[in-house]
Amino acid sequence: MNPPVKITVTSDFICPWCYIGEQRLARAVEGLPAGIDVELLWLPFELNPDMPVGGMDRKTYRSGKFGSWERSQALDAGTVAAGATDGIPFAYAAIARTPNTRLAHRLSLLAHRAGKQSEYAAAVLRAYFAEGKDIGDSDVLADIAAGVGLNREEVLAFLEGDEGAMEIRALELFSQDRGIHSVPHIQIGVTTLSSAQPVDTIRTAIIDEAARTPTAAQTDTSKGIAS
């Protein structure tokens, strides 16, 4: 039996290309040949690490960041067009605030411990980009987490504390040390994919990595010889 192909995704929940990349990755995994499994790990990246805890009015923030609201809307139109080719919806008109994503990243750690990290990541991205929800709000995040099987009260208690904050910072520094300065960044074994690559490109990278990965039986035999 083949061990799963390990895939590490470094992303931020307010990155539209991360949303597109997540959707394409999911489709690539769904279309894998029988016998190839994957093991996904989501690592944090904050596009706006200095964002106020309560976030900012989106129009105000984006106008300042990109020079004008018109420029911001033009960039939004580009991601809408890119998503449309894959049937990925964007609801920018419904997004009132640009949130601070640190709580969402901390909660991703809890979802990982529960074996629900991929479902959680997909749900948070969808909630923000397709539904316009404020993913910097604890109650909103608790609802999202509950929707993928986590206990809502436990989630709220977790978010009220600071557990995971230092771990998030350490993971972000780890990514910086690896030279990651933009997202999405997808590591599939020895293959690095930057930005939102086509579904076929992602799937091929996974299949190629699976071919390079020794089977469990081969691994066991090697251990026996070494001993």
Side-chain angles (χ1 to χ4, degrees), residues 90-122:
F90 282 88
Y92 283 121
I95 302 175
R97 300 186 69 75
T98 297
N100 181 307
T101 57
R102 198 159 301 159
L103 282 182
H105 285 304
R106 281 183 51 223
L107 187 49
S108 182
L109 296 177
L110 190 64
H112 174 65
R113 295 172 197 167
K116 297 285 186 177
Q117 193 182 35
S118 290
E119 294 91 335
Y120 167 80

Side-chain angles (χ1 to χ4, degrees), residues 14-188:
I14 57 166
C15 166
W17 293 105
C18 293
Y19 177 41
I20 294 173
E22 181 276 326
Q23 292 278 296
R24 291 178 178 174
L25 174 58
R27 287 178 54 199
V29 170
E30 288 175 0
L32 287 172
I36 298 180
D37 295 317
V38 302
E39 181 180 306
L40 282 166
L41 175 65
W42 297 81
L43 296 182
F45 189 100
E46 291 178 85
L47 289 171
N48 305 311
D50 298 322
M51 177 65 65
V53 173
M56 288 181 62
D57 174 80
R58 186 172 191 269
K59 184 174 182 179
T60 300
Y61 175 73
R62 297 270 298 183
S63 296
K65 181 174 182 177
F66 297 111
S68 71
W69 181 236
E70 289 72 24
R71 173 60 177 159
S72 173
Q73 288 182 306
L75 292 171
D76 287 347
T79 55
V80 169
T85 63
D86 293 273
I88 300 171
F90 282 88
Y92 283 121
I95 302 175
R97 300 186 69 75
T98 297
N100 181 307
T101 57
R102 198 159 301 159
L103 282 182
H105 285 304
R106 281 183 51 223
L107 187 49
S108 182
L109 296 177
L110 190 64
H112 174 65
R113 295 172 197 167
K116 297 285 186 177
Q117 193 182 35
S118 290
E119 294 91 335
Y120 167 80
V124 174
L125 287 163
R126 182 173 60 251
Y128 182 64
F129 286 109
E131 302 169 11
K133 293 183 178 178
D134 183 358
I135 58 169
D137 181 88
S138 294
D139 284 320
V140 171
L141 288 173
D143 288 340
I144 294 170
V148 299
L150 277 68
N151 181 283
R152 191 178 191 281
E153 297 308 315
E154 290 180 2
V155 166
L156 285 172
F158 176 85
L159 292 176
E160 286 175 1
D162 62 358
E163 183 180 351
M166 293 182 65
E167 187 173 350
I168 289 297
R169 183 56 183 154
L171 289 170
E172 290 177 332
L173 290 173
F174 170 70
S175 294
Q176 292 175 19
D177 289 343
R178 291 168 61 207
I180 299 174
H181 301 293
S182 63
V183 288
H185 180 280
I186 302 177
Q187 192 71 38
I188 304 171

